[in-house]
Amino acid sequence: MDFYKWFFLEEGRTPAGLFSLSHILTVTLTLAIFLTLAVFLGKRFKGNPKKQNLVLLISGIAIVVVQLSKNIWLLCETDNFWDCLIGNWPLYFCDIPIYVIPLAALTKGRFRQWCIDFLAICGLLMGFMGNYFAGNLYPSHAIVSFSVINALLNHSISAFVALFIWVSKLNKMEKRDIPFSIGILFTFMTIALIVDYIFIPIKGTPRNFMFFFHGDGTPFTIFHNLVGGQNIPYQIIIYILQCGYMGLFYVVYYWIMGLIKKKQGQNNLQIQDSTSSN
């Protein structure tokens, strides 16, 4: 049997199917491995900036290599080089770590902190949503295939980095950084939308980066149908949903931190009262 045709082209293979047993088991096992490693390294390198940055750097290199391997394979298989190159430009929500993880490893100061906070907030969502709800992947690809393994690695690296950041306490989540962390997403979305519209004349249809024109099997399809497929209302909803997620995350985060501080304050008062009575 020709391994290239079996693994890469999937000739004669049966698609896994979205939410099939093989899909759920594969994703769960992969995430379990990556997240366990994130906890181990996060605890081991807590308080060690050099080692923490090394983990970010290696993760950044790994996710870029994963993306490049995908693009190289697609370009080798296509008859239309430029159409394939533009059409597979990493401009989806789950592609943002391809740019942000290396930036977090290679920059300093507040910009680095914005990148780290962004990854802490969005990385786990990308890892879980991108793996479990990949309606554009599992219905048409076999589990043991280049396309599935490449996507698994891409999304799982994002989840790994996010949990590593939380465990090693790299993120600060300062209120003054909120507009800038959300701004990373807003800027990326705007670039993707502009590219979508720029390339309409070339192919006659939008590229659908960030799912700005249709859901393509993702949960965004629900909202696309809700507005009857109208582009502008749907695109506004996409902005609200994705940027709103980050805003809501901050609200919940500060609410939980407030409860923790309140509980700690009550415990300190109880200790003081107990000490005074003795």
Side-chain angles (χ1 to χ4, degrees):
M1 179 180 288
D2 189 325
F3 177 77
Y4 182 81
K5 291 182 178 179
W6 183 85
F7 182 70
F8 287 89
L9 302 181
E10 303 177 53
E11 291 186 1
R13 307 286 304 282
T14 302
L18 187 65
F19 302 134
S20 63
L21 181 61
S22 59
H23 168 209
I24 299 300
L25 285 177
T26 301
V27 168
T28 301
L29 178 61
T30 303
L31 281 174
I33 293 171
F34 273 83
L35 296 180
T36 299
L37 181 61
V39 172
F40 172 77
L41 294 178
K43 290 182 176 180
R44 185 176 180 85
F45 298 149
K46 187 182 294 184
N48 189 331
K50 288 185 178 180
K51 292 292 181 64
Q52 291 170 344
N53 204 64
L54 180 61
V55 171
L56 291 178
L57 182 60
I58 293 173
S59 300
I61 293 172
I63 199 168
V64 169
V65 168
V66 167
Q67 179 62 35
L68 284 176
S69 67
K70 172 185 174 181
N71 282 34
I72 290 170
W73 173 64
L74 290 172
L75 289 172
C76 289
E77 286 294 318
T78 187
D79 294 325
N80 191 331
F81 179 87
W82 290 110
D83 183 71
C84 181
L85 182 65
I86 295 166
N88 290 283
W89 197 350
L91 282 175
Y92 289 98
F93 178 70
C94 292
D95 292 328
I96 304 178
I98 295 170
Y99 309 95
V100 179
I101 296 175
L103 286 172
L106 297 172
T107 60
K108 296 181 179 180
R110 286 188 65 193
F111 180 79
R112 178 178 187 267
Q113 198 57 56
W114 301 340
C115 293
I116 287 174
D117 287 352
F118 172 84
L119 291 167
I121 294 170
C122 295
L124 287 171
L125 177 69
M126 294 169 178
F128 281 88
M129 294 294 289
N131 276 327
Y132 282 108
F133 294 92
N136 57 335
L137 180 69
Y138 290 94
S140 54
H141 292 281
I143 282 292
V144 184
S145 63
F146 176 79
S147 296
V148 166
I149 292 175
N150 187 276
L152 267 174
L153 290 174
N154 187 315
H155 295 99
S156 298
I157 290 171
S158 298
F160 163 83
V161 170
L163 188 57
F164 173 79
I165 287 171
W166 281 102
V167 175
S168 60
K169 299 188 182 300
L170 273 172
N171 55 317
K172 294 183 179 178
M173 308 291 286
E174 294 182 356
K175 291 182 179 179
R176 65 174 183 167
D177 291 333
I178 292 176
F180 302 99
S181 294
I182 297 178
I184 291 174
L185 175 58
F186 185 87
T187 301
F188 188 90
M189 292 180 72
T190 303
I191 292 171
L193 185 58
I194 291 171
V195 172
D196 279 337
Y197 275 106
I198 285 175
F199 289 105
I200 287 178
I202 294 177
K203 200 174 181 181
T205 56
R207 290 290 170 170
N208 199 40
F209 291 124
M210 295 295 287
F211 303 106
F212 267 127
F213 284 85
H214 52 83
D216 197 20
T218 68
F220 291 133
T221 303
I222 298 170
F223 299 94
H224 186 261
N225 294 336
L226 191 64
V227 296
Q230 298 180 65
N231 287 337
I232 302 302
Y234 172 66
Q235 288 160 6
I236 292 172
I237 289 173
I238 294 299
Y239 267 104
I240 292 173
L241 287 174
Q242 299 198 43
C243 293
Y245 160 75
M246 290 190 69
L248 181 61
F249 190 100
Y250 275 109
V251 170
V252 173
Y253 172 80
Y254 283 116
W255 175 66
I256 292 174
M257 289 298 102
L259 291 178
I260 292 173
K261 288 180 180 179
K262 184 178 179 180
K263 183 66 175 178
Q264 289 175 340
Q266 291 174 348
N267 290 338
N268 290 336
L269 285 174
Q270 290 177 355
I271 293 172
Q272 289 175 3
D273 291 340
S274 176
T275 303
S276 299
S277 61
N278 291 334

